[in-house]
Amino acid sequence: MCKGSGATPYRTVVDLTGPAYKCSCPSRKFPCKHALGLLLLWSAQGLGDPAEAPDWAAEWLAG
């Protein structure tokens, strides 16, 4: 999740096999800055195991 200007954090997920992106933010840019941030984190230091993804992210990745 990414903290943004909204009241609740945005749900952001990146599928590296695509690549494909999904974020609950209202941005009309694709990919949004939240997805780009995840990609930058991944390229710099790697991210957690996809098997440990939250249910909402795992559901999107499986689809």
Side-chain angles (χ1 to χ4, degrees):
M1 292 202 194
C2 296
K3 183 170 171 50
S5 58
T8 58
Y10 301 130
R11 291 182 169 193
T12 309
V13 62
V14 175
D15 181 357
L16 298 173
T17 63
Y21 323 91
K22 182 175 181 180
C23 186
S24 63
C25 76
S27 176
R28 288 182 267 164
K29 294 184 179 180
F30 188 76
C32 68
K33 62 185 176 184
H34 310 105
L36 290 174
L38 282 178
L39 287 169
L40 286 171
L41 281 173
W42 172 78
S43 68
Q45 64 191 24
L47 293 174
D49 182 3
E52 298 173 9
D55 291 341
W56 58 267
E59 183 179 315
W60 180 81
L61 289 168

